[in-house]
Amino acid sequence: MFDLHVHTAPDVQPRLGDDVEIVGMYERAGFDGCVLKGHYDPTAGRARAAGHGSPVRVYGGLALNHHVGGLNASAVAAALAMGARVIWMPTADAHAQETEGLPRLCRTQPRASAATYAIPPLDPTTEGSVREIVALIADGDAVLATGHLSTPEIVWLLPVARAAGVTRLLLTHASWVIPAMDAAQASALADQGAYVEITAYQLLHQDRCDAATLARFARTVGLDRIILSSDAGQPESPSPPEALSALVDALVSEHLDPGAILACASELPDRLVTPR
């Protein structure tokens, strides 16, 4: 299997293990690869170090939060030059994150900036920066992930990215609290070429979310457009390989096709992120 979304230490929040320890968990579980995600740390260099000598292919990326200046094309250019494979739009410092009262560094570190970032239609002034960023992602043949943008922002972003030449698009945990997208909305965006992520974190921790709910969502979107990830690494979650395997088993138990579900956690994420 291939986990497109895992959190490791060091981080501003407690994690189950560091980069090398988590990669070791994947290796023992027979996984093919993973992508390290940090809300406040670029992970391309960390991924290269953690994957050295391992059969697990380890990739990194960049989340466009305040630590890199938010919607900062220069930070994207540098990350891509260092091998980043996923660029997440703002996550912990997204406008929607603040609106929902979800965890942010400024809540635990008073000297950290409380700045937030939004894109059109919420903030039309950022259009130029976003267009620069998606052009860089297209040139780098990398994945554009929607992070913690709201649904209206995502609806605006996808056609802009596709017009710029981005071919690898991922709706980050589309039915989670952010962006709280329903299946019909996600399906319409999948029809524009995006993959739609469902995470084990949702199954484990999201209020009023169970296997049946996630299965209905996946069935409506279409299993050929679903990516299953763990979004694990929290001390209160199972190990990332166990979390992703549990999500696969839970969805199969809801009578979704076992082969197609396995592909959602293996071939599809692998194909989405791996360079041609």
Side-chain angles (χ1 to χ4, degrees), residues 26-52:
Y26 287 122
E27 183 173 345
R28 291 188 292 276
F31 274 54
D32 295 314
C34 65
V35 177
L36 308 183
K37 181 179 181 182
H39 292 298
Y40 290 106
D41 195 22
T43 56
R46 289 170 51 175
R48 181 168 181 177
H52 182 71

Side-chain angles (χ1 to χ4, degrees), residues 63-65 70-71 88-95 117-119 146-149:
L64 296 177
N65 293 314
L71 298 165
W88 289 273
M89 297 303 283
T91 58
D93 291 334
H95 173 77
Y117 302 92
I119 70 170
T146 56
H148 294 189
L149 296 180

Side-chain angles (χ1 to χ4, degrees), residues 125-141:
T125 69
T126 62
E127 178 174 350
S129 297
V130 174
R131 289 186 181 276
E132 288 183 53
I133 287 166
V134 297
L136 286 164
I137 294 170
D139 290 345
D141 193 28

Side-chain angles (χ1 to χ4, degrees), residues 98-192:
E98 175 68 20
T99 300
E100 291 293 333
L102 293 170
R104 301 187 61 211
L105 182 60
C106 62
R107 302 196 198 284
T108 57
Q109 300 291 334
R111 294 185 179 179
S113 172
T116 61
Y117 302 92
I119 70 170
L122 271 64
D123 185 356
T125 69
T126 62
E127 178 174 350
S129 297
V130 174
R131 289 186 181 276
E132 288 183 53
I133 287 166
V134 297
L136 286 164
I137 294 170
D139 290 345
D141 193 28
V143 179
L144 169 61
T146 56
H148 294 189
L149 296 180
S150 65
T151 296
E153 292 170 288
I154 294 168
V155 168
W156 179 88
L157 176 63
L158 258 61
V160 170
R162 286 182 57 81
V166 177
T167 59
R168 303 175 190 248
L169 295 161
L170 179 65
L171 306 187
T172 307
H173 46 54
S175 60
W176 186 60
V177 178
I178 300 170
M181 196 176 289
D182 65 35
Q185 292 171 318
S187 179
L189 294 171
D191 287 343
Q192 295 184 36

